Amino acid sequence: MLDRKEWADLEPVPQDDGPNPVVKIAYSEKFSDVYDYFRALLKKDERSERAFALTAEAIELNAANYTVWHYRRVLLQALSKDLREEMRYITNIIEEQPKNYQVWHHRRMVVEWLGDPSEELEFIAQILSQDAKNYHAWQHRQWVIQEYKLWDKELAFVESLLEDDVRNNSAWNQRHFVISHTTGFSEPAVVERETQYCLNQIRKAPHNESVWNYLKGMLQDRGLSSQPGLLEKVLELKETHCSPYLLAFLFDCYEDALENGVPKDSLDQGCQETLEKALEICKLLAQEKDTIRKEYWQFLGRSLQDRYGGEVSPGDATPTAPASEPQQIS
Amino acid sequence: MAEEEKQFEEFEQIDFLKDRHVRFFHRTLQVLPERYASLETTRLSILFFALSGLDVLDALDVVDSNIMIEWIYSLQVLPTEDKSNLSCCGFRGSSHIGVPYSTKGPGVVHPYDSGHIAMTYTGLCSLLILGDDLSRVNKQGCLAGVRALQLEDGSFYAVPEGSENDIRFIYCAACICYMLDDWSGMDIQKAIEYIRGSLSYDNAFGQGAGRESHGGWTFCAIASLCLMGRLEEALSQRELDRIRRWCIMRQQSGFHGRPNKPVDTCYSFWVGATLELLDVFRYTNFEKNRNFILSTQDRLVGGFAKWPDSHPDPLHAYLGLCGLSLIGEPSLRKVHPALNITQRAFQHLQQLQQTWRESTNSCGGQH
């Protein structure tokens, strides 16, 4: 309980939910005590050491209370508190509660005030070692790197994480982030290197959506079918390292060819052949390799047929109408 | 013997325990133990989950609407006499700041009293669900409060004192403007720019530019654009097709939020609703989705958890129900996929908006 003498001058302010509180949380006396005095300080906007100390107690009871954090920041500045000590404080709290929005925001504010990001990359790496996909941690990392131009060692960091877990989608995203902000993806040498990197990772772990998304993402706007030799390599991999993602990628290559690479004349052999290959992929996915998305692959097949097919035979459904009965679950 | 066992298994699998969920939400409305302390500043959103959940279950009759409505209005930050706090107006998440209970204006002068954008959004939804006519909502205040939260880059803060800023709060702002039928609360063009900027290389949306694409933020992006009526203006057909692909690939049994992450009940709504808005939800596998959601059902206390054999919470309980509603579970009301309230509550909103428009057509205007 709070030392009554120290707080005797203040009238505590209870929460007031009126005559009929809703979604009420049943607080212990100790909890209410801390927050009743917190509310009293807030009302006065008191700028004092005792207020600062109380924010720590309030945070310990509920670190998600953004008003407490804001008030603490006001006090940090008003009392010219030691920001290095605050960094130590927030480091400990984040380690205990790494998925809380307020604590990361607070850390960002302190780093900004100090103008010193020197501890950040190591700290975030620490947090990521406990949960390599923590969204808050990655967000903070991107902010630090972009704000303070700390790009240098990040690609190496990403690669080490991908060594640990080649399926870490956050790491793949970070890879794209680093490269797009440094060398960019326009240089053919970069594209070649990244393509090779992806193919190697696919060979090691074929069933990995992240790597296929990265490869497609990098190439999709310059035309998947226009990458020399890529289609052939993917067709090779299809025999030994197949996955739904590989097949979807193939489909996208064929669709790209139909859209961009090949004359639209439906009587053209090349176009007809490409369309048939694409439809075969849809069928393979729907019937065997990705049956959970059967309806979707069939829909894509119909759409493609409708756009690039020559004669439309009677009984062909239009792309917007489902070919099968609406799903019933009872 | 084997046949009976199989039937029992199937029966267990498809057994949707409606009554338990009604009781779960009913309990949520009353008292929560201290270990829920971290929800204090967001209690109004918890109320929304419970009310909207009961609405989806067609069980709002267990609720005393008047009590709820009064409590919600007590959370409104109203303009002070001199209107100097307009940028702070909206709804609070709870009474945690310590302002005395009041459902009437003028607003109280307090150095730290302000609304929270997500609480303004869920507060308005809750009022609509309860059948309120929003006549006690200070629209000028709410809209000024929302406007004040938008940054140069188009995203929004949650509170005027500052907070993190990202796509979640664009969604809240869009819902508020949509419900109040007044888009002066935000710069739509800037918001669209931020949303487009959040489109990742893998064809879905992160919380902001460069960030990992994610089912929740993708919902915020697409739902916001739909509410603004700008979906096809902001995104090309090719982009939309690619987004459809990313979203539909999230189904593993139920849905997950990011590639190579475990499935989680709430994504049955976030991703499901996005797919519905993009008109391809019907191509998902309803049975597997349903089986997963029901596997996270708590058969004892009701509600749903993110995973099987985990503790249920109001958010997952509500979104689990919404996920089931999307696939047409018979005993559940339909949900508006962008606004995330029942179609019933949405119709009430439409009627209200009709009334507002009619009353602004003054001076001999013919309908």
Side-chain angles (χ1 to χ4, degrees), chain A residues 134-188:
Chain A
N134 181 326
Y135 205 94
H136 304 269
W138 282 111
Q139 189 158 302
H140 187 75
R141 196 173 181 90
Q142 286 197 350
W143 169 72
V144 167
I145 287 175
Q146 199 155 13
E147 187 71 20
Y148 298 100
K149 306 193 186 355
L150 302 173
W151 303 99
D152 246 27
K153 304 199 181 82
E154 192 62 3
L155 190 57
F157 177 70
V158 164
E159 287 203 1
S160 74
L161 284 184
L162 289 174
E163 285 277 316
D164 289 343
D165 177 10
V166 71
R167 293 187 178 87
N168 184 338
N169 197 68
S170 309
W172 281 102
N173 181 73
Q174 191 75 346
R175 191 178 182 96
H176 193 276
F177 174 73
V178 172
I179 293 176
S180 52
H181 282 95
T182 50
T183 58
F185 285 97
S186 337
E187 276 175 67

Coordinates of all heavy atoms in Angstrom, one line a residue, chain A residues 134-188:
Chain A
N134 N 8.4 -11.7 -34.2 CA 7.7 -10.7 -33.5 C 7.6 -9.4 -34.3 O 8.6 -8.7 -34.6 CB 8.5 -10.4 -32.2 CG 7.8 -9.3 -31.3 OD1 7.2 -8.4 -31.8 ND2 8.0 -9.4 -30.0
Y135 N 6.3 -9.1 -34.7 CA 6.1 -8.0 -35.6 C 6.5 -6.7 -35.1 O 7.0 -5.8 -35.8 CB 4.6 -8.0 -35.9 CG 4.2 -7.4 -37.2 CD1 4.0 -8.1 -38.3 CD2 4.0 -6.0 -37.3 CE1 3.7 -7.6 -39.6 CE2 3.7 -5.4 -38.6 CZ 3.6 -6.2 -39.7 OH 3.2 -5.6 -40.9
H136 N 6.3 -6.4 -33.7 CA 6.8 -5.2 -33.1 C 8.3 -5.0 -33.3 O 8.8 -3.9 -33.6 CB 6.4 -5.1 -31.6 CG 5.0 -5.4 -31.4 ND1 4.1 -4.3 -31.3 CD2 4.3 -6.5 -31.1 CE1 2.9 -4.8 -31.0 NE2 3.0 -6.2 -30.9
A137 N 9.0 -6.1 -33.0 CA 10.5 -6.0 -33.1 C 10.9 -5.7 -34.5 O 11.8 -4.8 -34.7 CB 11.0 -7.4 -32.6
W138 N 10.3 -6.3 -35.5 CA 10.7 -6.1 -36.9 C 10.4 -4.6 -37.3 O 11.2 -4.0 -38.0 CB 10.0 -7.1 -37.8 CG 10.7 -8.4 -37.8 CD1 10.2 -9.6 -37.3 CD2 12.0 -8.7 -38.4 NE1 11.1 -10.6 -37.5 CE2 12.2 -10.1 -38.1 CE3 13.0 -8.0 -39.0 CZ2 13.4 -10.7 -38.5 CZ3 14.2 -8.6 -39.4 CH2 14.4 -10.0 -39.2
Q139 N 9.3 -4.2 -36.8 CA 8.8 -2.8 -37.1 C 9.8 -1.8 -36.6 O 10.2 -0.8 -37.2 CB 7.5 -2.6 -36.5 CG 6.8 -1.3 -36.9 CD 5.3 -1.5 -36.8 OE1 4.7 -2.3 -37.4 NE2 4.7 -0.6 -36.0
H140 N 10.2 -2.0 -35.3 CA 11.1 -1.1 -34.6 C 12.5 -1.2 -35.4 O 13.1 -0.1 -35.6 CB 11.3 -1.5 -33.2 CG 12.1 -0.6 -32.4 ND1 11.6 0.7 -31.9 CD2 13.4 -0.7 -31.9 CE1 12.6 1.3 -31.2 NE2 13.6 0.5 -31.2
R141 N 12.8 -2.4 -35.8 CA 14.1 -2.6 -36.5 C 14.1 -1.8 -37.8 O 15.1 -1.1 -38.1 CB 14.4 -4.0 -36.7 CG 15.8 -4.4 -37.1 CD 16.1 -5.9 -37.2 NE 17.5 -6.1 -37.5 CZ 18.5 -6.2 -36.6 NH1 18.2 -6.2 -35.3 NH2 19.7 -6.4 -37.0
Q142 N 13.1 -1.9 -38.5 CA 13.0 -1.1 -39.8 C 13.1 0.4 -39.6 O 13.7 1.1 -40.3 CB 11.7 -1.5 -40.5 CG 11.7 -2.9 -41.2 CD 10.7 -3.1 -42.2 OE1 9.8 -2.2 -42.4 NE2 10.8 -4.2 -43.0
W143 N 12.4 0.8 -38.5 CA 12.4 2.2 -38.2 C 13.8 2.7 -37.9 O 14.3 3.7 -38.4 CB 11.5 2.6 -37.0 CG 11.7 4.0 -36.6 CD1 11.3 5.1 -37.2 CD2 12.4 4.4 -35.4 NE1 11.7 6.2 -36.5 CE2 12.4 5.8 -35.4 CE3 13.0 3.7 -34.4 CZ2 13.0 6.5 -34.4 CZ3 13.6 4.4 -33.3 CH2 13.6 5.8 -33.4
V144 N 14.5 2.0 -37.0 CA 15.9 2.4 -36.6 C 16.8 2.4 -37.9 O 17.6 3.3 -38.1 CB 16.4 1.3 -35.6 CG1 17.9 1.5 -35.4 CG2 15.7 1.5 -34.3
I145 N 16.7 1.3 -38.7 CA 17.6 1.2 -39.8 C 17.4 2.4 -40.8 O 18.3 3.0 -41.3 CB 17.4 -0.1 -40.5 CG1 18.1 -1.2 -39.6 CG2 18.1 -0.2 -41.9 CD1 17.8 -2.6 -40.1
Q146 N 16.1 2.6 -41.0 CA 15.8 3.7 -42.0 C 16.1 5.1 -41.5 O 16.7 5.9 -42.2 CB 14.3 3.6 -42.4 CG 14.0 4.2 -43.7 CD 12.7 3.6 -44.3 OE1 12.0 2.9 -43.7 NE2 12.5 4.0 -45.6
E147 N 15.8 5.3 -40.2 CA 16.0 6.6 -39.6 C 17.5 7.0 -39.5 O 17.9 8.1 -39.7 CB 15.3 6.6 -38.2 CG 15.3 8.0 -37.5 CD 14.3 9.0 -38.2 OE1 13.4 8.5 -38.9 OE2 14.5 10.2 -38.0
Y148 N 18.2 6.0 -39.1 CA 19.6 6.3 -38.8 C 20.6 5.7 -39.8 O 21.8 5.6 -39.6 CB 20.0 5.8 -37.4 CG 19.2 6.5 -36.3 CD1 18.0 5.9 -35.8 CD2 19.5 7.8 -35.9 CE1 17.2 6.5 -34.8 CE2 18.7 8.4 -34.9 CZ 17.6 7.8 -34.4 OH 16.8 8.5 -33.5
K149 N 20.1 5.2 -40.9 CA 20.8 4.7 -42.0 C 21.8 3.6 -41.6 O 23.0 3.7 -41.8 CB 21.6 5.8 -42.7 CG 20.5 6.9 -43.1 CD 21.1 7.9 -44.1 CE 20.1 9.1 -44.4 NZ 18.8 9.0 -43.9
L150 N 21.3 2.6 -41.0 CA 22.1 1.5 -40.5 C 22.0 0.2 -41.4 O 21.8 -0.9 -40.9 CB 21.7 1.2 -39.0 CG 21.8 2.3 -38.1 CD1 21.2 2.0 -36.7 CD2 23.3 2.8 -37.9
W151 N 22.1 0.4 -42.7 CA 21.9 -0.6 -43.6 C 23.0 -1.7 -43.7 O 22.8 -2.8 -44.0 CB 21.7 -0.1 -45.0 CG 20.5 0.9 -45.1 CD1 20.6 2.3 -45.0 CD2 19.2 0.6 -45.2 NE1 19.4 2.9 -45.1 CE2 18.5 1.9 -45.2 CE3 18.4 -0.6 -45.2 CZ2 17.1 1.9 -45.3 CZ3 17.0 -0.5 -45.3 CH2 16.4 0.8 -45.3
D152 N 24.2 -1.2 -43.4 CA 25.4 -1.9 -43.6 C 25.4 -3.5 -43.4 O 25.8 -4.2 -44.3 CB 26.5 -1.4 -42.7 CG 27.6 -0.7 -43.5 OD1 27.3 -0.3 -44.6 OD2 28.7 -0.7 -43.0
K153 N 25.1 -3.9 -42.2 CA 25.2 -5.3 -41.8 C 23.9 -6.0 -41.9 O 23.8 -7.2 -41.5 CB 25.8 -5.4 -40.4 CG 27.1 -4.7 -40.2 CD 27.8 -5.3 -39.0 CE 29.2 -4.6 -38.7 NZ 29.0 -3.3 -38.0
E154 N 22.8 -5.4 -42.4 CA 21.5 -6.0 -42.2 C 21.3 -7.2 -43.1 O 20.7 -8.2 -42.7 CB 20.4 -4.9 -42.5 CG 19.0 -5.4 -42.1 CD 18.9 -5.7 -40.6 OE1 19.8 -5.6 -39.8 OE2 17.8 -6.2 -40.2
L155 N 21.9 -7.2 -44.3 CA 21.7 -8.3 -45.2 C 22.3 -9.6 -44.6 O 21.8 -10.7 -44.6 CB 22.3 -8.0 -46.6 CG 21.9 -9.1 -47.7 CD1 20.4 -9.2 -47.8 CD2 22.6 -8.7 -49.0
A156 N 23.5 -9.4 -44.0 CA 24.2 -10.5 -43.3 C 23.3 -11.0 -42.1 O 23.2 -12.2 -41.9 CB 25.5 -10.0 -42.8
F157 N 22.7 -10.1 -41.4 CA 21.8 -10.5 -40.3 C 20.6 -11.3 -40.8 O 20.3 -12.4 -40.3 CB 21.3 -9.2 -39.6 CG 20.3 -9.5 -38.5 CD1 20.7 -10.1 -37.3 CD2 19.0 -9.2 -38.6 CE1 19.8 -10.4 -36.3 CE2 18.1 -9.5 -37.6 CZ 18.5 -10.1 -36.4
V158 N 20.0 -10.8 -41.9 CA 18.9 -11.6 -42.5 C 19.3 -13.0 -42.9 O 18.6 -13.9 -42.7 CB 18.4 -10.8 -43.8 CG1 17.5 -11.7 -44.6 CG2 17.6 -9.6 -43.3
E159 N 20.5 -13.0 -43.5 CA 21.0 -14.4 -44.0 C 21.2 -15.3 -42.8 O 20.9 -16.5 -42.9 CB 22.3 -14.2 -44.8 CG 21.9 -13.6 -46.2 CD 22.9 -13.9 -47.3 OE1 23.9 -14.6 -47.0 OE2 22.6 -13.5 -48.4
S160 N 21.7 -14.8 -41.7 CA 21.9 -15.7 -40.6 C 20.5 -16.2 -40.0 O 20.4 -17.3 -39.6 CB 22.7 -15.0 -39.5 OG 21.9 -14.0 -38.8
L161 N 19.5 -15.3 -40.1 CA 18.2 -15.8 -39.6 C 17.6 -16.8 -40.6 O 17.0 -17.8 -40.2 CB 17.2 -14.6 -39.6 CG 17.4 -13.7 -38.3 CD1 16.3 -12.6 -38.4 CD2 17.4 -14.4 -37.0
L162 N 17.9 -16.6 -41.9 CA 17.4 -17.6 -42.9 C 18.1 -18.9 -42.8 O 17.6 -20.0 -43.1 CB 17.4 -17.0 -44.3 CG 16.4 -15.9 -44.5 CD1 16.6 -15.2 -45.9 CD2 15.0 -16.4 -44.4
E163 N 19.4 -18.8 -42.3 CA 20.1 -20.1 -42.0 C 19.4 -20.8 -40.9 O 19.3 -22.1 -40.9 CB 21.5 -19.7 -41.5 CG 22.5 -19.3 -42.5 CD 23.2 -20.4 -43.3 OE1 23.6 -21.4 -42.6 OE2 23.2 -20.4 -44.5
D164 N 19.0 -20.1 -39.9 CA 18.3 -20.7 -38.7 C 17.0 -21.3 -39.2 O 16.5 -22.3 -38.7 CB 18.0 -19.7 -37.6 CG 19.2 -19.2 -36.9 OD1 20.3 -19.9 -37.0 OD2 19.2 -18.2 -36.3
D165 N 16.2 -20.5 -40.0 CA 14.9 -20.9 -40.4 C 14.6 -20.3 -41.7 O 14.2 -19.2 -41.8 CB 13.9 -20.5 -39.3 CG 12.4 -20.9 -39.7 OD1 12.3 -21.6 -40.7 OD2 11.5 -20.4 -39.1
V166 N 14.7 -21.1 -42.8 CA 14.5 -20.6 -44.1 C 13.1 -20.3 -44.4 O 12.7 -19.7 -45.4 CB 15.1 -21.6 -45.2 CG1 14.2 -22.9 -45.2 CG2 15.2 -21.0 -46.5
R167 N 12.2 -20.7 -43.5 CA 10.8 -20.4 -43.6 C 10.3 -19.2 -42.9 O 9.1 -18.9 -42.8 CB 9.9 -21.6 -43.2 CG 10.1 -22.8 -44.1 CD 9.1 -23.9 -43.8 NE 9.3 -25.1 -44.7 CZ 10.2 -26.0 -44.5 NH1 11.0 -26.0 -43.4 NH2 10.3 -27.0 -45.4
N168 N 11.3 -18.4 -42.3 CA 10.9 -17.2 -41.6 C 10.5 -16.1 -42.5 O 11.3 -15.4 -43.1 CB 12.1 -16.8 -40.7 CG 11.7 -15.6 -39.8 OD1 10.8 -14.8 -40.1 ND2 12.5 -15.4 -38.7
N169 N 9.2 -15.9 -42.7 CA 8.7 -15.0 -43.6 C 9.1 -13.5 -43.3 O 9.3 -12.7 -44.2 CB 7.1 -15.1 -43.6 CG 6.5 -14.4 -44.9 OD1 6.7 -14.9 -46.0 ND2 5.8 -13.3 -44.6
S170 N 9.2 -13.2 -42.0 CA 9.7 -11.9 -41.6 C 11.1 -11.6 -42.1 O 11.4 -10.5 -42.5 CB 9.7 -11.8 -40.1 OG 8.5 -12.2 -39.5
A171 N 11.9 -12.6 -42.1 CA 13.3 -12.5 -42.6 C 13.3 -12.2 -44.1 O 14.1 -11.4 -44.6 CB 14.1 -13.7 -42.2
W172 N 12.5 -13.0 -44.8 CA 12.4 -12.7 -46.2 C 11.9 -11.3 -46.5 O 12.4 -10.7 -47.4 CB 11.5 -13.8 -46.9 CG 12.1 -15.1 -47.1 CD1 11.9 -16.2 -46.3 CD2 13.0 -15.5 -48.1 NE1 12.7 -17.2 -46.8 CE2 13.4 -16.8 -47.8 CE3 13.6 -14.8 -49.1 CZ2 14.3 -17.5 -48.7 CZ3 14.5 -15.5 -49.9 CH2 14.9 -16.8 -49.7
N173 N 10.9 -10.9 -45.7 CA 10.5 -9.5 -45.9 C 11.6 -8.5 -45.7 O 11.8 -7.5 -46.4 CB 9.3 -9.2 -45.0 CG 8.8 -7.8 -45.2 OD1 8.1 -7.5 -46.2 ND2 9.1 -6.9 -44.3
Q174 N 12.4 -8.8 -44.7 CA 13.5 -7.9 -44.3 C 14.5 -7.9 -45.4 O 15.1 -6.8 -45.7 CB 14.1 -8.3 -43.0 CG 15.1 -7.3 -42.4 CD 14.4 -6.0 -41.8 OE1 13.2 -5.8 -42.0 NE2 15.2 -5.2 -41.1
R175 N 14.7 -9.0 -46.0 CA 15.6 -9.1 -47.2 C 15.2 -8.2 -48.3 O 16.0 -7.4 -48.8 CB 15.7 -10.5 -47.7 CG 16.8 -10.8 -48.7 CD 16.9 -12.2 -49.2 NE 18.1 -12.3 -50.1 CZ 19.3 -12.7 -49.7 NH1 19.5 -13.1 -48.4 NH2 20.3 -12.7 -50.6
H176 N 13.9 -8.2 -48.6 CA 13.4 -7.3 -49.6 C 13.6 -5.9 -49.2 O 13.9 -5.0 -50.0 CB 12.0 -7.7 -49.9 CG 11.4 -7.0 -51.2 ND1 11.0 -5.7 -51.2 CD2 11.4 -7.5 -52.5 CE1 10.6 -5.4 -52.5 NE2 10.9 -6.5 -53.2
F177 N 13.3 -5.6 -48.0 CA 13.4 -4.2 -47.4 C 14.8 -3.7 -47.6 O 15.0 -2.6 -48.1 CB 13.0 -4.3 -46.0 CG 13.2 -3.0 -45.2 CD1 12.3 -1.9 -45.4 CD2 14.2 -2.9 -44.2 CE1 12.4 -0.7 -44.7 CE2 14.3 -1.7 -43.5 CZ 13.4 -0.6 -43.8
V178 N 15.8 -4.5 -47.2 CA 17.2 -4.0 -47.3 C 17.6 -3.8 -48.7 O 18.2 -2.7 -49.1 CB 18.1 -5.1 -46.6 CG1 19.6 -4.7 -46.9 CG2 17.9 -5.2 -45.1
I179 N 17.4 -4.8 -49.6 CA 17.8 -4.6 -50.9 C 17.1 -3.5 -51.7 O 17.8 -2.7 -52.4 CB 17.7 -6.0 -51.7 CG1 18.7 -7.0 -51.1 CG2 18.0 -5.8 -53.2 CD1 18.6 -8.4 -51.6
S180 N 15.8 -3.4 -51.5 CA 15.1 -2.3 -52.2 C 15.6 -0.9 -51.8 O 15.6 0.0 -52.5 CB 13.6 -2.4 -52.1 OG 13.2 -2.5 -50.8
H181 N 16.1 -0.8 -50.5 CA 16.6 0.5 -50.1 C 18.1 0.7 -50.3 O 18.6 1.8 -50.0 CB 16.3 0.7 -48.6 CG 14.8 1.1 -48.4 ND1 13.9 0.1 -48.0 CD2 14.2 2.3 -48.4 CE1 12.7 0.8 -47.9 NE2 12.9 2.1 -48.1
T182 N 18.8 -0.3 -50.7 CA 20.2 -0.2 -51.0 C 20.6 -0.3 -52.4 O 20.5 0.7 -53.2 CB 21.0 -1.2 -50.1 OG1 20.5 -2.5 -50.4 CG2 21.0 -0.9 -48.6
T183 N 20.8 -1.5 -52.9 CA 21.1 -1.6 -54.4 C 19.9 -1.4 -55.2 O 20.0 -1.1 -56.4 CB 21.8 -3.0 -54.7 OG1 20.8 -4.0 -54.3 CG2 23.1 -3.1 -53.9
G184 N 18.8 -1.8 -54.7 CA 17.5 -1.8 -55.5 C 17.5 -3.1 -56.3 O 18.5 -3.9 -56.3
F185 N 16.4 -3.3 -57.0 CA 16.3 -4.6 -57.8 C 16.4 -4.3 -59.3 O 16.0 -5.2 -60.1 CB 14.9 -5.2 -57.5 CG 14.9 -5.9 -56.1 CD1 14.3 -5.2 -55.0 CD2 15.4 -7.2 -56.0 CE1 14.3 -5.9 -53.8 CE2 15.3 -7.8 -54.7 CZ 14.8 -7.1 -53.6
S186 N 16.8 -3.1 -59.7 CA 16.9 -2.9 -61.2 C 18.1 -3.6 -61.9 O 18.0 -4.0 -63.0 CB 16.9 -1.4 -61.5 OG 16.4 -0.7 -60.5
E187 N 19.2 -3.6 -61.1 CA 20.4 -4.2 -61.7 C 20.2 -5.6 -62.0 O 19.9 -6.4 -61.1 CB 21.6 -4.0 -60.8 CG 22.3 -2.7 -60.8 CD 23.3 -2.7 -59.6 OE1 24.3 -3.5 -59.8 OE2 23.2 -2.0 -58.7
P188 N 20.5 -6.1 -63.3 CA 20.4 -7.5 -63.6 C 21.3 -8.4 -62.7 O 20.9 -9.5 -62.4 CB 21.0 -7.5 -65.1 CG 20.8 -6.2 -65.6 CD 20.9 -5.2 -64.4

